[in-house]
Amino acid sequence: MACVLEPPLRMSVLSEVTASSRHYVDRLFDPDPQKVLQGVIDMKNAVIGNNKQKANLIVLGAVPRLLYLLQQETSSTELKTECAVVLGSLSMGTENNVKSLLDCHIIPALLQDLLSSDLQFIEACLRCLRTVFTSSVTPVELLYTDASVIPHLMLLLSRSIYAQEYICQIFAHCCKGPDHQTILFNHGVVQNIAHLLTSVSYKVRMQALKCFSVLAFDNPQVSMTLANVLVDGELLPQIFVKMLQRDKPIEMQLTAAKCLTYMCRAGSIRTDDNCIVLKTLPCLVRMCSKERLLEVRVEGAETLAYLIEPDVELQRIASITDHLISMLADYFKYPSSVSAITDIKRLDHDLKHAHELRQAAFKLYASLGANDEDIRKKVSLGEGRPPVLSASRQGVTPT
């Protein structure tokens, strides 16, 4: 199995390959299976948190050998599991690391290994697949190449909490459009993960929730199905509403609000339903508060803009909820002079998100003023107007 190493990676690390790194790879070829196992375990311990060591081992050809051992029938289950763990650790390095693993066809190999009956080995493979699939350099289409993969992943959902977490995370990340939504929907993803929203594991609940948000987006068929699914005697929208409560983690509140927003926009929940007017909309306004992380404020504003865009009554309600218009003025205050003076890391963070904040604020301004002249006046004349409008007004002279 040939692996193509990225040229920048080869040039940057070849000169730094150490004797100890070569020793780790050489041990993978020992004729004694026990020595090979111990070699893989030692390699696992060596690469944890060490990107330089990971790059060295990839350059030296560790990945093809690990995959070979992973797929040999003569390899013990313990050895296969340790190989999957090391591959998972290597995939947590740089993007070049992931590209090298993809060039070695790691995804088809790991998907094939999911047919094993050993749960610990399955979990190790799923954990590695989760890391590879959620990398920005991995083509999500690789999940859908073999038609037997999705049904088998559905079956594995019943094996363990870890399997549920990893599979839901893979689905959530790899569902990128209507074609993917249709494939997952037709294989029963809604029915298979609905009960996971009541899991004892927070991570499982969150990944299932994220699944529903990407499935429901701009999809009337999925949204209508979600509106009628019962879990422990409760409809899914009722479960989503419970997740909006202030005592829930911010991540959960925001993702649940996105689910309800997408269902509303898809027509499965009315815009005047209490779960939208009294729960979802106020929750999204809370997400815009300056007390929230910048990333949350961006998502909150963009989701709220999407929710109220076609409905004038929701626009009016939003405009008078928790001083939203004034709140949006803060979106233009990054990076601040204080952060520039006292905290370089804070400045770097603010700079990265400044454009996203402004873009999200303008989207929400546009939705708020889409249909109502009074709201437009609030935006253009009130204290919450964006700086660009303030500057333009100050620059206008009568003729």
Side-chain angles (χ1 to χ4, degrees):
M1 182 185 296
C3 294
V4 180
L5 191 66
E6 290 290 308
L9 179 62
R10 180 186 298 275
M11 293 175 62
S12 65
V13 299
L14 269 178
S15 60
E16 302 179 19
V17 174
T18 63
S20 62
S21 297
R22 168 64 68 183
H23 175 64
Y24 285 121
V25 177
D26 289 343
R27 292 171 70 188
L28 301 182
F29 294 86
D30 195 290
D32 185 343
Q34 282 303 118
K35 291 183 179 180
V36 173
L37 173 61
Q38 189 57 51
V40 175
I41 293 173
D42 291 343
M43 182 182 290
K44 174 183 69 176
N45 295 330
V47 299
I48 294 175
N50 190 333
N51 282 341
K52 178 181 175 181
Q53 186 71 278
K54 291 175 184 179
N56 287 345
L57 292 172
I58 290 174
V59 169
L60 290 169
V63 176
R65 184 60 181 175
L66 289 168
L67 286 171
Y68 173 82
L69 295 171
L70 193 73
Q71 297 174 84
Q72 291 303 297
E73 292 184 3
T74 54
S75 295
S76 67
T77 301
E78 184 180 6
L79 175 58
K80 290 181 178 181
T81 302
E82 293 295 344
C83 287
V85 171
V86 174
L87 289 166
S89 184
L90 294 177
S91 69
M92 291 180 186
T94 65
E95 288 186 351
N96 278 330
N97 287 6
V98 178
K99 289 178 183 177
S100 297
L101 293 172
L102 291 172
D103 288 336
C104 292
H105 309 290
I106 187 173
I107 288 179
L110 290 174
L111 289 174
Q112 181 65 31
D113 287 325
L114 293 180
L115 297 173
S116 168
S117 59
D118 186 86
L119 180 57
Q120 193 172 2
F121 177 47
I122 290 172
E123 289 175 346
C125 291
L126 285 172
R127 186 162 49 248
C128 183
L129 283 166
R130 180 271 309 270
T131 306
V132 174
F133 269 122
T134 54
S135 168
S136 60
V137 302
T138 303
V140 297
E141 290 297 336
L142 292 174
L143 180 65
Y144 305 96
T145 303
D146 184 342
S148 67
V149 169
I150 302 298
H152 187 63
L153 289 174
M154 295 295 180
L155 292 175
L156 292 178
L157 282 169
S158 62
R159 295 297 303 271
S160 74
I161 285 178
Y162 294 117
Q164 292 165 355
E165 177 191 344
Y166 304 146
I167 292 170
C168 285
Q169 194 168 356
I170 290 170
F171 286 163
H173 186 81
C174 294
C175 185
K176 297 297 186 183
D179 291 342
H180 298 160
Q181 289 172 327
T182 299
I183 292 171
L184 293 173
F185 179 79
N186 288 342
H187 282 99
V189 67
V190 173
Q191 292 75 17
N192 278 289
I193 69 174
H195 70 282
L196 301 183
L197 291 172
T198 59
S199 170
V200 296
S201 165
Y202 172 76
K203 290 182 178 180
V204 171
R205 295 198 303 276
M206 268 310 307
Q207 295 307 327
L209 192 58
K210 289 178 179 179
C211 262
F212 283 128
S213 73
V214 298
L215 285 166
F217 180 70
D218 201 22
N219 194 312
Q221 182 185 25
V222 173
S223 294
M224 195 59 69
T225 301
L226 293 183
N228 294 292
V229 170
L230 282 170
V231 178
D232 295 339
E234 282 189 299
L235 290 169
L236 276 190
Q238 295 172 324
I239 295 176
F240 294 154
V241 167
K242 287 183 177 181
M243 293 178 169
L244 299 176
Q245 294 173 0
R246 293 171 184 262
D247 62 339
K248 303 299 182 185
I250 296 300
E251 178 189 30
M252 177 173 283
Q253 292 183 48
L254 180 55
T255 309
K258 290 168 77 170
C259 289
L260 291 162
T261 293
Y262 299 156
M263 291 174 68
C264 180
R265 284 298 306 267
S268 64
I269 300 177
R270 291 168 54 93
T271 57
D272 60 356
D273 191 296
N274 283 344
C275 77
I276 298 297
V277 177
L278 302 180
K279 300 295 184 179
T280 306
L281 188 150
C283 175
L284 289 171
V285 172
R286 292 200 303 273
M287 297 301 112
C288 299
S289 167
K290 63 182 178 181
E291 282 76 33
R292 304 295 174 218
L293 295 174
L294 300 188
E295 299 91 325
V296 172
R297 296 174 71 186
V298 169
E299 277 196 75
E302 289 183 340
T303 306
L304 181 56
Y306 184 67
L307 173 65
I308 69 176
E309 183 182 19
D311 191 271
V312 64
E313 188 56 33
L314 288 181
Q315 292 160 13
R316 290 171 179 159
I317 294 170
S319 70
I320 60 173
T321 300
D322 289 347
H323 307 287
L324 175 64
I325 294 177
S326 299
M327 199 185 296
L328 288 179
D330 286 328
Y331 276 55
F332 298 89
K333 296 180 179 178
Y334 296 91
S336 65
S337 57
V338 174
S339 65
I341 295 171
T342 62
D343 192 336
I344 298 300
K345 289 184 178 180
R346 167 74 182 278
L347 173 62
D348 183 59
H349 179 264
D350 288 359
L351 282 170
K352 287 179 179 178
H353 291 90
H355 175 70
E356 293 178 355
L357 282 164
R358 288 176 171 83
Q359 189 177 48
F362 279 124
K363 285 180 182 178
L364 186 46
Y365 278 130
S367 288
L368 283 166
N371 299 291
D372 192 298
E373 182 62 28
D374 290 338
I375 299 177
R376 283 194 287 270
K377 288 179 180 178
K378 284 184 182 179
V379 172
S380 62
L381 300 175
E383 62 177 7
R385 63 182 179 272
V388 66
L389 292 182
S390 300
S392 65
R393 290 185 63 81
Q394 292 168 7
V396 173
T397 56
T399 58

